[in-house]
Amino acid sequence: MVLHEFISFEVLRVIWWALVGVLLIGFALTDGFDMGTGALLPFVARTDTERRVVINTVGPVWEGNQVWFILGGGAIFAAWPPLYAVSFSGFYLAMFAVLAALILRPVGFKYRSKRESQSWRNGWDWALFIGGAVPALLFGVAVGNVLLGVPFHLTDDLMPMYDGSFYGKFLGLLRPFALLAGVVSLSMLLMHGAAWLTLKTEGWVQIRARSIGTVAGVVAAAGYALAGLWLAVGVDGFAIAGEIVTDGPSNPLHSEVTHGGTWLAAYAARPWIAVAPLMGFAGIAMAVRGLREGHEVSTLLWSKLGITGIIASVGLTMFPFILPSTVDPDSSLTVWDASSSHLTLFVMLVATAIFMPLILAYTAWVYRVLWGKVTEDDVTGAGHSY
């Protein structure tokens, strides 16, 4: 028996569906508080010193946190090539807006303190706000559009074709439900950033972060509940109508897909997946309570649990779909027909088993070294601070 055949094609597909989810959740848990902190910067810090404190809470870690985003994109490219092709071309303008916003973050960190001018520094503070708020919003909009379905189809030779105008590739994404998902994403990461600042700062910055984070958490929970209700009564789901072949060739056109009903039918078929939204609501509720009562470590951990539950609920609700098509449901991409080959998935899994523990160990070591609060004395007395 060939080595890679010790793990079946079906199991490898599920493993890589789960691993991509883990990478995206890892990105939200780590770089999410960076984005939330950036979006909070103009509001939680009033003086220049306070703003430098806020910036220095994430300055040493944001680059490492962003690695999760790169890993997630790379995993999608290697494990799910059709998904990469359709999503990165169909969401091209949105992706460009996200990348442009993210580019402002390193530039803002490096250039903000190069001049003493208050207007210069204020300008870069708002650039850091954009670098945090815009990606947080648009990532949620993208998830909302995935749930709604995307207007693409596959040709007979499996070339993806995105229907719609050039400008429609951005404006067409701004549908009401998708915007609600964006609000949930933004408010969720604002709460996460506030939890981080509660842990890493003190004084008025911490007090303001707790206040804003509490409101953001309530908005996130309310928006998440409204999105669930909307999915139940106002959004058509997708389902595989014919026989499901879990270990066949990667050809989405071999499946028969229907568009109708509700996504929430998945909870009747697999009741255990209800644990994800329960985690989402419980995590947010406890994070809000922690922010109100002044808890620090536990608040950040509860915030992470809430984010994990919310993101996991999307993937578990849609399974086995990963990108449904509204114009040609049979072109919809699923776990069973949009992956790379059996051998490719196996080789990637071996590489992941070797390098992922190293990444996790290094990340844990970095956070251990950087443990503790950032104070005003730290940023005014250290020449290496931002």
Side-chain angles (χ1 to χ4, degrees):
M1 179 181 291
V2 181
L3 183 61
H4 69 272
E5 293 180 354
F6 280 104
I7 305 178
S8 71
F9 200 8
E10 174 186 3
V11 171
L12 280 171
R13 281 169 161 166
V14 174
I15 288 174
W16 272 103
W17 168 81
L19 281 175
V20 168
V22 167
L23 292 173
L24 295 179
I25 290 173
F27 170 63
L29 297 184
T30 54
D31 207 38
F33 67 69
D34 295 337
M35 290 186 286
T37 298
L40 289 170
L41 175 62
F43 310 104
V44 298
R46 304 288 172 81
T47 67
D48 182 68
T49 301
E50 286 180 346
R51 292 188 175 186
R52 289 184 64 197
V53 167
V54 171
I55 290 171
N56 279 276
T57 64
V58 296
V61 298
W62 73 269
E63 289 177 291
N65 293 340
Q66 197 159 275
V67 167
W68 291 94
F69 182 49
I70 299 170
L71 288 174
I76 292 173
F77 171 77
W80 310 98
L83 173 62
Y84 183 90
V86 174
S87 60
F88 278 68
S89 59
F91 297 168
Y92 177 79
L93 290 180
M95 291 288 185
F96 184 84
V98 167
L99 291 176
L102 288 176
I103 288 171
L104 289 176
R105 183 163 55 181
V107 178
F109 286 152
K110 300 298 183 183
Y111 281 88
R112 182 189 183 278
S113 297
K114 295 297 184 182
R115 295 176 60 184
E116 297 290 339
S117 167
Q118 191 61 46
S119 60
W120 169 270
R121 294 189 173 187
N122 286 341
W124 285 115
D125 290 339
W126 284 105
L128 290 171
F129 165 80
I130 293 172
V134 170
L137 175 69
L138 292 183
F139 284 135
V141 170
V143 171
N145 276 279
V146 170
L147 284 163
L148 291 170
V150 180
F152 75 94
H153 69 277
L154 300 176
T155 64
D156 291 338
D157 56 358
L158 300 182
M159 178 170 292
M161 304 295 292
Y162 193 92
D163 296 7
S165 66
F166 179 74
Y167 294 104
K169 291 185 178 183
F170 182 74
L171 297 179
L173 301 178
L174 303 180
R175 295 179 277 182
F177 177 81
L179 288 173
L180 174 61
V183 170
V184 173
S185 174
L186 175 59
S187 55
M188 178 177 72
L189 295 186
L190 286 174
M191 177 194 70
H192 198 42
W196 173 254
L197 290 175
T198 299
L199 175 67
K200 295 292 290 183
T201 65
E202 56 190 14
W204 281 107
V205 171
Q206 185 191 68
I207 292 171
R208 296 184 194 113
R210 287 170 51 197
S211 177
I212 297 174
T214 299
V215 175
V218 172
V219 172
Y224 184 50
L226 179 58
L229 180 62
W230 200 331
L231 279 180
V233 300
V235 175
D236 289 334
F238 292 78
I240 298 178
E243 180 183 358
I244 300 177
V245 179
T246 60
D247 58 355
S250 291
N251 186 345
L253 298 180
H254 286 172
S255 301
E256 181 182 349
V257 175
T258 59
H259 184 199
T262 173
W263 281 119
L264 301 190
Y267 291 87
R270 304 187 301 275
W272 62 269
I273 68 175
V275 68
L278 290 176
M279 286 170 52
F281 282 117
I284 291 177
M286 294 302 294
V288 168
R289 179 184 177 185
L291 287 166
R292 287 173 59 88
E293 296 181 358
H295 302 308
E296 297 183 357
V297 176
S298 62
T299 299
L300 185 63
L301 294 177
W302 282 118
S303 178
K304 289 177 182 292
L305 180 69
I307 292 172
T308 299
I310 289 174
I311 297 176
S313 69
V314 176
L316 291 170
T317 299
M318 293 183 60
F319 185 87
F321 289 91
I322 50 179
L323 190 64
S325 169
T326 55
V327 297
D328 180 20
D330 289 345
S331 293
S332 298
L333 307 181
T334 76
V335 172
W336 311 126
D337 54 28
S339 72
S340 293
S341 68
H342 192 171
L343 178 59
T344 298
L345 296 183
F346 178 79
V347 172
M348 289 173 59
L349 183 61
V350 172
T352 301
I354 295 172
F355 291 106
M356 183 61 75
L358 297 177
I359 294 173
L360 292 173
Y362 176 75
T363 301
W365 176 78
V366 168
Y367 279 95
R368 183 178 180 274
V369 170
L370 297 173
W371 186 260
K373 292 185 179 293
V374 178
T375 67
E376 293 189 2
D377 289 340
D378 291 332
V379 301
T380 57
H384 58 271
S385 63
Y386 288 110

